Amino acid sequence: MLDSVTDLRSLLKDPSLLETRAYVAGEWIAADNGSTFEVRNPARGDVICTVPDLGRAETARAIAAAEVAMKDWSVRTAKERANILRAWFNLMMANQEDLAAILTAEMGKPLAEAKGEIAYGASFIEWFAEEAKRIYGETIPGHMPDKRITVLKQPIGVVGSITPWNFPNAMITRKCGPALAAGCGFVARPAAETPLSALAMAVLAERAGLPKGIFSVVTSMKSSDIGKEFCENPTVRKLTFTGSTEVGRILLRQAADQVMKCSMELGGNAPFIVFDDADLDAAVAGAMASKFRNNGQTCVCANRIYVQAGVYDAFAEKLGAAVAKLKVGDGLTQGTDTGPLITEKAVAKVEDHIADVLAKGGHVVTGGKRHSLGGSFFEPTIVTGVTQDMKVSTEETFGPLAPLFKFDTEEEAIGYANDTIFGLASYFYARDIGRITRVQEQLEYGIVGVNTGIISTEVAPFGGVKQSGLGREGSHHGIEDYLELKYICLSI
Ligand SMILES: NC(=O)C1=CN([C@@H]2O[C@H](COP(=O)(O)OP(=O)(O)OC[C@H]3O[C@@H](n4cnc5c(N)ncnc54)[C@H](OP(=O)(O)O)[C@@H]3O)[C@@H](O)[C@H]2O)C=CC1
Ligand SMILES: O=C(O)[C@H](O)CS(=O)(=O)O
């Protein structure tokens, strides 16, 4: 039973990775006022440990230390920065199992998924270690005979980072990787539900040789206070956020006062379209991977599944059979496919969406209620007879609920899919190349998965359009968000 930090340490090869102090300016600290908050295991509700509940004063110290550390870090050669980031990557992969156990303990996802997240998160450190050496400037033919024009790319400055609980490792590395590669200082504020993965990351950062102060982890329940410190502190030049569109709007309003550069990875409402020329078995496998990854708690999960009328019944039957095989349980138990939801509030949102479907004439065909395991476990669920006016269509469920919509024509499917304020990920299955070309071009999303339900990789630009965000993370594009262009006009 995970009812104390001692128990979790017993699972680790290197117990020192379970750090319960905050990491500020290169020091492991308590909160100035000694306050702490509990970190719970969502599978059982047990308290794993407590961590410091830092406030604005400690955050300001982390920001100041990052500015000082940048004076050295930003002028090191790209290769020096790259070598340290590579060492960090190597340490993350060498400690993958321990990092996964810590992640599962605090977030609940199955160990296999947690191991996958550690590798996915580490891949951003590896990728941007390489990109550090390719931050090229430009020379431009002068506009007058005595003018010489060059363009420099320089680190934007100290970065404030706010990330959610659903990917406690990868959402931080997807930001600190490019920021540190560019020469920036970085202050991470992880979600209160999942601070331990970030602290373990900091333990390995020290071992990798990241200089004191360049990377800090501020643990806090006071998310609004920390966000305000990031937005109001004049030393912070960049805010990077992953989370809901609702909170993204709050932060953008706050950051506007300093005209602060912002990267926003916000909410999604992914359509998953199955056309009648699709490989149905492949479409079912893709829908399972997209919908039930992380128990439906990702911003790129299929949120709405649209199936063309001619294959609707066959797809629904196949999907039902696949869902019935999912093993619900504690993420630390081998063989678990889907763990608990993160909180009771998350369960309530899934129940609310199901109740709305039933109230408006839809039907539950699989699952539909809390799991017999109790707590925040929920039965993987399929509903049918759903329409565009239901909450499952207009809101992000963020849970194991698969609504099957029926459509007749290609134009109808595209219209339904685009009928949302969000524009992050989208998916469709088809085999006709003309249809594939038409649909991929008309979907209003930053990401389109064609005949695949999983699109997450460090090599591609991840991000949304409309109200799903600003900027891109990953790929060679991802480092641009942490650089400023400087134009030099030399008169000779
Ligand atoms: N586009 C993407 O990549 C992702 C988008 N999301 C979206 O986020 C939602 C689910 O994640 P969830 O964590 O609940 O999202 P939230 O937006 O509620 O929280 C995200 C982070 O922001 C913090 N936060 C909340 N309010 C404030 C504030 N006023 N000022 C500063 N920080 C604040 C939270 O801290 P605390 O929890 O401690 O309050 C948390 O660390 C879904 O809509 C999902 O789609 C989630 C992950 C990735
Ligand atoms: O927070 C999320 O949901 C992630 O951005 C999704 S992914 O990058 O892991 O696919």
Side-chain angles (χ1 to χ4, degrees), residues 120 164 166-167 171 174 242 293 297-300 455-456 462:
Y120 175 52
N166 60 341
F167 288 86
M171 290 310 96
R174 197 159 77 177
T242 291
R293 173 173 172 240
Q297 300 173 115
T298 93
C299 58
V300 292
I455 42 78
S456 309
F462 184 104

Side-chain angles (χ1 to χ4, degrees), residues 77-79 81-83 85-86 123-137 153 177-183 458-460 473-480 482-483:
T77 65
K79 189 161 187 175
R81 291 200 297 272
N83 287 343
L85 289 173
R86 180 83 206 184
S123 74
F124 289 100
I125 303 298
E126 179 190 39
W127 175 268
F128 287 104
E130 296 155 358
E131 288 300 300
K133 295 182 275 187
R134 290 166 186 79
I135 300 174
Y136 299 137
K153 287 187 177 181
L180 293 167
E458 77 283 7
V459 309
E473 296 187 324
S475 82
H476 72 273
H477 297 284
I479 203 161
E480 299 300 332
Y482 297 95
L483 295 166

Side-chain angles (χ1 to χ4, degrees), residues 161-168 171-172 175 188-192 194 240-243:
S161 165
I162 300 169
T163 47
W165 46 265
N166 60 341
F167 288 86
M171 290 310 96
I172 297 174
K175 299 170 187 311
R189 188 275 165 177
T194 55
T240 179
F241 172 69
T242 291

Side-chain angles (χ1 to χ4, degrees), residues 97 110-113 115 327-337:
E97 297 214 353
L111 262 180
E113 280 198 47
K115 286 177 187 169
K327 186 176 180 308
V328 178
D330 185 334
L332 288 171
T333 303
Q334 291 296 341
T336 294
D337 297 313

